[in-house]
Amino acid sequence: MRVLFVAPPDLKSHLYIMTPLAWALRTAGHDVRVACQPGSTEALAQAGLTAVLAGEPMAETLAEVDEMSEPPKRQGAPATLPVQTDYARDDPYAELEYLTTNLLPFLHTDEMLTDLIGFARAWRPDLVLWDAMTYAGPVVARACGAAHARILFGTDAFVQLWEAVRAAGGSRPDPMRAWLEPLLRTHGGGAFADDVVHGQWTIDTMPPWTWRPSSPHYIRMRHLAFNGPSVVPRWLYEQPARPRVCVTLGMTHREADVAEASATDLLEAVGDLDIEVVATMSAEQLASVPRIPDNVRVVDFVPMNVLLPTCSAIVHHGGSSTMASAFEHAVPQLIVPSAYWSEKWFGPVAQANGLQERGAGVWLAYDSDYLTPAGLREDLMRVLKDPSFKENAVRLRTEMMGLPTPNEVVPAVEKLTAAYRRAG
């Protein structure tokens, strides 16, 4: 069968979540293409995947989206850490309306949709697999008669809000329908239906113990972290003499001025401890740091799959791929979610909740605005000294290894595609 993946613009981490399934389908004999914007072609080529260009470069548009993002309202430090269901508690309608006005439409422009639909009608994919932020996917699938399914990059928070809005009732229009139905009609995709919001089914890459909405049909798949092409540095050939700790903020925010943990605070917390620290940070992230402590090795990039097997702990932002790497190598985690936009609700909160409940890590602070070097230092030493954190991380790894791999998910994808493709 022919499978078209639809990736969000210039978000390499999201593309990397798709990569293992794309290759599983390819090695099962299927024809696979990945639709992307010009800014993602290099990452696609490095992953060995075949790109279909759609739309114009998006860097300037995405920068404008960042500028429009409303900072969270601060009323003092929260008394307790939140749980995922808190996201839909106060005003899910306002949040969903904001997202369907100020974020999601900018991830697929009119030019992108026109290019994608033109390609899809010519190539005739049997299945469109779309990133959960990229609602061009169901519009394109409807326009060419393909089956379609989502791939989650984190918690299913868009559907969480949508379900909460529907449950609340009222006379206000459904924000998802108000946004997507005109696109469907314009491009020959027919009337709005629930599957346009949550896919005909959903590939769920989140740990089984995280919260999820009730309406989608989920197919669980182990998140195999893909780090891209890389070379193992020589200093990683040998095990460290002291406990090694990775400090990272991931790669998605490197080129954006977003609210993340301060590099100065992070390095102040770990400096002068009797540990070796590997900080994967760019020059821009380190620009305001007055001094790099002697026990800190700064590297712009090192693949997590070769670094983490040598680490005793990792301090990070709660990104799904970083979490998956830490699960795979049974590394205790210390999480400090970004304060950017509503990002913590799209993975970090649900995963940090479960991680802490299972004793395999620590949620350091509500988000990066409330992180203190003293608090991080205290929690890090507790994780390093208490062997139960490592024991529980090993237990979580065993749990995760029991989930179906992308190769094992392919037969279910084939069966569902056949069923929905015929129905279309």
Side-chain angles (χ1 to χ4, degrees):
M1 64 185 182
R2 293 177 175 176
V3 183
L4 176 63
F5 284 75
V6 181
D10 297 350
L11 288 175
K12 188 187 296 185
S13 59
H14 289 231
L15 174 62
Y16 281 0
I17 289 173
M18 294 179 156
T19 297
L21 181 58
W23 267 111
L25 287 160
R26 183 69 191 110
T27 55
H30 301 296
D31 196 354
V32 174
R33 309 287 172 89
V34 183
C36 71
Q37 290 68 53
S40 299
T41 53
E42 183 179 355
L44 267 170
Q46 290 175 341
L49 298 171
T50 303
V52 175
L53 286 181
E56 301 298 322
M58 295 283 289
E60 291 185 7
T61 299
L62 295 176
E64 292 175 3
V65 171
D66 285 336
E67 290 176 3
M68 289 190 300
S69 299
E70 296 178 346
K73 298 177 176 62
R74 298 303 189 191
Q75 298 177 345
T80 59
L81 293 173
V83 294
Q84 185 63 36
T85 50
D86 290 341
Y87 188 37
R89 183 184 60 191
D90 295 331
D91 193 351
Y93 187 93
E95 179 75 1
L96 187 58
E97 187 177 46
Y98 179 82
L99 294 174
T100 55
T101 303
N102 296 304
L103 173 67
L104 294 173
F106 293 93
L107 300 182
H108 44 83
T109 61
D110 291 340
E111 294 82 2
M112 174 185 171
L113 270 175
T114 298
D115 288 349
L116 269 182
I117 289 171
F119 170 77
R121 284 176 172 160
W123 193 58
R124 305 299 298 178
D126 300 288
L127 171 64
V128 176
L129 279 168
W130 45 286
D131 176 90
M133 287 181 74
T134 314
Y135 280 90
V139 177
V140 170
R142 286 287 202 86
C144 70
H148 68 93
R150 294 181 305 156
I151 302 179
L152 293 186
F153 61 88
T155 304
D156 202 353
F158 294 123
V159 172
Q160 176 183 5
L161 293 171
W162 178 71
E163 285 187 351
V165 167
R166 286 164 59 105
S171 58
R172 294 181 294 183
D174 174 352
M176 296 296 280
R177 181 170 192 153
W179 167 48
L180 290 169
E181 190 161 52
L183 291 176
L184 290 164
R185 296 196 182 282
T186 297
H187 295 285
F192 177 86
D194 290 358
D195 67 77
V196 176
V197 176
H198 53 59
Q200 291 169 320
W201 72 92
T202 296
I203 304 293
D204 184 2
T205 62
M206 291 290 281
W209 34 262
T210 55
W211 183 91
R212 49 189 43 77
S214 60
S215 58
H217 173 197
Y218 291 110
I219 302 294
R220 286 184 178 169
M221 183 181 80
R222 190 195 314 171
H223 183 168
L224 293 180
F226 176 72
N227 299 138
S230 55
V231 176
V232 180
R234 289 185 178 275
W235 56 268
L236 270 176
Y237 288 2
E238 298 179 2
Q239 289 293 317
R242 297 182 291 174
R244 177 178 285 161
V245 175
C246 172
V247 176
T248 183
L249 295 172
M251 60 179 146
T252 301
H253 291 162
R254 282 191 169 201
E255 297 179 0
D257 183 18
V258 299
E260 61 185 4
S262 157
T264 299
D265 288 346
L266 292 173
L267 298 188
E268 179 185 334
V270 300
D272 303 323
L273 294 175
D274 188 23
I275 60 175
E276 177 191 329
V277 177
V278 178
T280 65
M281 295 180 181
S282 66
E284 290 78 10
Q285 289 173 310
L286 294 167
S288 61
V289 176
R291 182 184 73 89
I292 304 297
D294 293 338
N295 65 333
V296 174
R297 181 195 295 269
V298 173
V299 291
D300 184 79
F301 172 79
V302 63
M304 291 288 115
N305 63 310
V306 297
L307 172 60
L308 289 187
T310 73
C311 289
S312 300
I314 178 171
V315 179
H316 67 97
H317 59 305
S320 292
S321 291
T322 306
M323 297 281 288
S325 295
F327 289 141
E328 183 175 351
H329 299 290
V331 180
Q333 303 175 58
L334 295 95
I335 311 298
V336 53
S338 167
Y340 172 61
W341 173 59
S342 302
E343 188 177 78
K344 63 178 170 288
W345 300 109
F346 287 78
V349 165
Q351 298 204 87
N353 280 148
L355 188 75
Q356 185 154 283
E357 287 168 1
R358 283 156 181 77
V362 174
W363 186 346
L364 291 167
Y366 180 84
D367 60 35
S368 54
D369 281 354
Y370 299 108
L371 179 70
T372 65
L376 169 53
R377 189 182 185 99
E378 179 182 349
D379 282 327
L380 175 58
M381 293 311 297
R382 179 162 60 93
V383 168
L384 293 175
K385 290 178 179 179
D386 184 346
S388 69
F389 285 100
K390 178 65 175 180
E391 293 164 1
N392 289 323
V394 170
R395 181 170 55 82
L396 284 187
R397 175 177 62 188
T398 301
E399 235 178 79
M400 301 299 286
M401 294 291 282
L403 295 174
T405 65
N407 296 69
E408 292 168 333
V409 164
V410 167
V413 171
E414 293 169 337
K415 183 177 180 180
L416 286 164
T417 300
Y420 283 105
R421 188 76 174 88
R422 284 196 301 270

